[in-house]
């Protein structure tokens, strides 16, 4: 416990009421470690400011104590921490933007090179095709008729001439050969590239939530105790975790989120209750 800490008397007050940390935690629905941190002035592992202030006020009301001095001590302690976290967030966002720009530039360069290569190949093929003369068509080969075929044809002609009435020309006109339609080449089968499923998310995580209207939020991080709070329009909170974040939203359509600097899709419809887990 810090010497001269304003909340040092809160532990004595709780013990004089015959209450243990576990009993107060069950009554107020606040985790054991947060109550102990308030009594000892250790706010290093506390959640977002809006939740921590609510914890201190609730505990002060439970003990009939003035929350002002403890709140002032809390504000002094988190001032430097908030500045460092904001600087880290700005650096993270800058690195992500530069990485995306570099990836886009590389993609554009590869695409331009591919288009240029295809154009050169097509120009070369077209130039050589125009200069090459077409070969002459080969003469059609006619096979000589066999003697047996000639004799049969002559005999059939004599019989036809004898049977036909006078004045009728019985000269046989050969039927034109059937026209053969060239086979139509099969259409190339269309191929659709499958989108690979992304793997599981790996921490650390930094989840920002912003409420556009009143919404109820419950979350826990790294197997910690669940924390619930009511957000109003314009409220913003930040949740940090090493391995996992579990989030439950009432009125999912009234909250927007950003995970590690990337905007998340809508959580759900207005008035809908949704539950999400980030990490393993």
């Amino acid at each position: 416990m810090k010497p001269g800490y304003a909340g040092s008397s809160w532990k004595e007050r709780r013990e004089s009421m015959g209450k243990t940390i576990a009993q107060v935690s069950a009554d107020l629905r606040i985790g054991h470690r947060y109550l102990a941190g308030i009594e000892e002035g250790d706010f290093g592992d506390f959640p977002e400011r809006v939740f921590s202030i609510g914890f201190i006020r609730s505990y002060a009301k439970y003990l009939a104590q003035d929350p002002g001095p403890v709140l002032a001590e809390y504000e002094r302690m988190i001032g430097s921490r908030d500045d460092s976290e904001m600087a880290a967030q700005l650096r993270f966002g800058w690195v992500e933007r530069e990485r995306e720009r570099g990836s886009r530039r590389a993609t554009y360069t590869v695409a331009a090179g591919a288009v240029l290569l295809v154009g050169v190949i097509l120009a070369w093929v077209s130039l050589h095709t125009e200069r090459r003369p077409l070969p002459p068509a080969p003469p059609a080969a006619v096979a000589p008729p066999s003697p047996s075929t000639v004799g049969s044809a002559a005999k059939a002609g004599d019989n036809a001439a004898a049977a036909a009435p006078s004045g009728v020309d019985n000269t046989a006109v050969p039927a034109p050969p059937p026209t053969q339609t060239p086979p139509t080449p099969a259409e190339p089968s269309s191929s659709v590239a499958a989108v690979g499923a992304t793997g599981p998310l790996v921490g650390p995580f930094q989840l920002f939530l912003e409420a556009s209207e009143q919404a109820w939020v419950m979350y826990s991080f790294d197997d910690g105790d669940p924390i619930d709070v009511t957000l109003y329009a314009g409220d913003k909170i930040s949740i940090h975790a090493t391995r996992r974040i579990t989030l439950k939203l009432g009125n999912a359509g009234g909250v927007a989120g950003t995970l590690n600097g990337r905007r998340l899709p809508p959580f759900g419809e207005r008035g809908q209750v949704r539950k999400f887990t980030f990490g393993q």
Side-chain angles (χ1 to χ4, degrees):
M1 182 180 298
K2 299 178 180 179
Y5 171 56
S8 58
S9 62
W10 289 24
K11 180 177 181 180
E12 299 176 359
R13 172 61 177 167
R14 172 179 57 79
E15 292 175 347
S16 67
M17 295 170 62
K19 296 286 187 177
T20 64
I21 288 286
Q23 291 174 335
V24 178
S25 176
D27 293 342
L28 298 180
R29 297 178 63 189
I30 299 176
H32 301 66
R33 55 180 174 176
Y34 302 129
L35 296 176
I38 293 173
E39 291 181 352
E40 298 173 2
D42 182 9
F43 304 106
D45 195 26
F46 267 45
E48 184 63 24
R49 180 176 179 275
V50 64
F51 299 114
S52 300
I53 291 177
F55 294 165
I56 295 173
R57 291 185 181 277
S58 297
Y59 197 17
K61 184 177 180 181
Y62 186 86
L63 299 176
Q65 298 291 317
D66 180 15
V70 177
L71 287 174
E73 182 73 16
Y74 168 76
E75 293 289 351
R76 283 194 298 271
M77 194 216 69
I78 68 169
S80 57
R81 186 183 70 180
D82 288 346
D83 293 340
S84 60
E85 288 180 356
M86 180 59 68
Q89 176 63 19
L90 292 176
R91 287 194 301 272
F92 177 81
W94 179 83
V95 170
E96 286 295 322
R97 287 193 297 271
E98 289 299 318
R99 185 178 302 169
E100 291 177 359
R101 291 173 182 171
S103 177
R104 286 196 296 269
R105 284 194 293 268
T107 303
Y108 296 154
T109 302
V110 172
V115 171
L116 180 60
L117 178 61
V118 171
V120 171
I121 293 175
L122 291 177
W124 183 86
V125 171
S126 176
L127 181 62
H128 283 69
T129 301
E130 291 177 356
R131 291 182 177 181
R132 183 181 304 169
L134 295 176
V142 180
S146 62
S148 60
T149 304
V150 172
S152 300
K155 185 176 181 179
D158 295 342
N159 294 336
S166 60
V168 178
D169 186 5
N170 291 324
T171 304
V173 179
T179 303
Q180 295 182 355
T181 305
T184 304
E187 295 183 357
S189 60
S190 60
S191 175
V192 180
V195 179
T198 58
L201 294 175
V202 179
F205 301 106
Q206 186 175 28
L207 176 64
F208 286 94
L209 300 178
E210 181 176 0
S212 58
E213 56 186 50
Q214 184 175 353
W216 171 79
V217 179
M218 174 181 284
Y219 74 88
S220 62
F221 54 91
D222 296 336
D223 300 325
D225 297 328
I227 303 170
D228 62 280
V229 69
T230 299
L231 299 182
Y232 297 90
D235 285 349
K236 301 177 183 179
I237 61 174
S238 174
I239 304 171
H240 303 264
T242 303
R243 292 178 291 104
R244 178 171 61 253
I245 296 176
T246 301
L247 179 67
K248 187 174 183 181
L249 301 173
N251 188 17
V255 180
T258 302
L259 182 65
N260 291 348
R262 296 182 180 274
R263 192 72 171 181
L264 294 174
F267 289 117
E269 302 294 336
R270 184 178 184 184
Q272 189 178 18
V273 177
R274 298 294 303 277
K275 184 176 181 181
F276 303 89
T277 300
F278 304 96
Q280 300 179 352

